[in-house]
Amino acid sequence: MTENRDAGASVRQFTAELVGAAMDGDYEDVADALGLLARAGSNRISGEIVAELAGRCASVVRARQPADPGAVFTVAVTDERARPVEVDRLPPGPLAALRALLADLGGDAESRDIQLELAARGEPDDVIGVVIHQLVWLVELSGSSAPTLPPLSCFAQ
């Protein structure tokens, strides 16, 4: 039991440092951390990081746009050139991460967990792509002071 708590604390600390580096624009530290994650080769750890990042994104949205229970959230997605992207055309991992975020915001824990599991599947490069998307979303959501939430960026892999 203690081992699991220590591992969970380590994942939370790693994620906090990764988010801090991304928010500070320290992309060299972000790249180093992502390299460590890719080499770790642990689906469990990657899954926990993906879940932690999804929760952080949902917290930022809730803080900026408090909603009544049962509220429906929609997402606008753009590409690297700020052009709208059809959500269903996203790569599978980022699409699952986006669906997990929406399920979290909608209070659907079961769907969130299923989508998080799907987002953290695949080769290490696939999971790193999901984490990169989530970091970009977190920076976008946190960095905007506009009354409406910004569109989320997505990049083809």
Side-chain angles (χ1 to χ4, degrees), residues 14 17-37 128 131-132 135 139:
F14 178 87
E17 291 174 10
L18 179 61
V19 168
M23 296 296 230
D24 292 342
D26 191 348
Y27 304 121
E28 194 169 306
D29 279 354
V30 171
D32 290 344
L34 294 175
L36 284 172
L37 181 59
I128 296 303
V131 171
I132 290 170
L135 287 171
V139 168

Side-chain angles (χ1 to χ4, degrees), residues 11-12 19 29 38 54 63 76 93-94 152 156:
V11 166
R12 282 188 298 282
V19 168
D29 279 354
L152 301 178

